[in-house]
Amino acid sequence: MAKKIFLFLALIIFTASSVEAAEEPPFDSLASTYVEGGREFLNLIRMKDDGELLFMVASRKVQGIALVPYSRSVYDFYLNQDQTGSYPPLIFGMMFPDEQRPQIDDNLGDWQGNLHLLPVYALFEVKDGQIICDKPFYSASGLNPKHYHGTIRNTDHEKLIEIFMTHMPRLHEIIAAQNISLP
């Protein structure tokens, strides 16, 4: 029950609509790292209208959510080491719905109304199966930067990026246990 309430609250933030208008979510939850009493989770969702797969990151601490489009390379980011045993940077796009300007990081990424689209460049290590984020995270203006020289300073953005990265191994376990096939 608490999981449904938390997902419902995340949906309200996501859609920025009233409780009355948000009776049924526009997505199906396929897998989630949410645990009873947890304050953060990573969820894999499928949009009902077009079948698009997205990761939904939520945190009660920052009272917000973010979305990341699914791709196999982003999903498997922590499994790919180079020849030296190092991990290449994780580069992905994160969407922050219902953000207001001006705010910290508003010169990074792009805006579509109140939707903040943020390209992210994140360095990390993996130790004993756990993701260790190497902060700060970086970004740039626009959606397809060639260089990431801007530092992400918004602590809410930082927290949601960190949750996304650190919860991914657990999400892998849950998806495997549920025999979910992904492209």
Side-chain angles (χ1 to χ4, degrees):
M1 180 67 168
K3 179 179 177 181
K4 286 183 180 179
I5 292 170
F6 191 48
L7 284 172
F8 186 70
L9 291 173
L11 173 66
I12 292 169
I13 294 168
F14 172 63
T15 60
S17 63
S18 67
V19 174
E20 303 87 47
E23 291 179 11
E24 186 170 320
F27 59 85
D28 291 318
S29 176
L30 304 179
S32 179
T33 64
Y34 178 79
V35 294
E36 190 72 33
R39 302 190 53 78
E40 55 193 38
F41 71 86
L42 175 61
N43 203 21
L44 178 65
I45 63 173
R46 181 183 316 272
M47 299 305 293
K48 290 179 180 177
D49 62 348
D50 62 6
E52 180 181 12
L53 292 172
L54 298 164
F55 298 105
M56 178 190 292
V57 186
S59 169
R60 286 186 184 170
K61 180 179 180 180
V62 302
Q63 296 181 2
I65 68 162
L67 299 168
V68 176
Y70 170 86
S71 74
R72 178 54 80 166
S73 62
V74 170
Y75 177 62
D76 289 340
F77 78 89
Y78 69 98
L79 301 175
N80 302 315
Q81 291 177 294
D82 63 19
Q83 305 87 307
T84 66
S86 297
Y87 294 89
L90 172 59
I91 300 172
F92 65 100
M94 191 170 247
M95 300 176 279
F96 299 91
D98 201 31
E99 284 201 338
Q100 303 297 317
R101 291 176 99 170
Q103 57 126 340
I104 298 173
D105 296 342
D106 73 352
N107 62 328
L108 301 174
D110 196 19
W111 289 82
Q112 294 176 0
N114 287 342
L115 177 65
H116 190 183
L117 306 166
L118 190 67
V120 177
Y121 181 99
L123 300 171
F124 67 96
E125 295 180 41
V126 179
K127 292 187 179 174
D128 299 323
Q130 301 297 310
I131 311 282
I132 310 299
C133 297
D134 185 9
K135 294 180 190 173
F137 302 118
Y138 299 97
S139 188
S141 62
L143 294 180
N144 298 303
K146 293 185 188 318
H147 302 285
Y148 293 80
H149 294 296
T151 301
I152 295 173
R153 296 174 311 180
N154 182 314
T155 56
D156 292 353
H157 292 171
E158 276 188 332
K159 181 65 176 169
L160 291 167
I161 293 166
E162 186 173 24
I163 292 167
F164 173 72
M165 294 175 68
T166 59
H167 281 237
M168 192 60 76
R170 180 69 182 128
L171 189 64
H172 267 251
E173 292 172 5
I174 293 164
I175 287 171
Q178 294 178 1
N179 291 320
I180 297 172
S181 177
L182 296 174

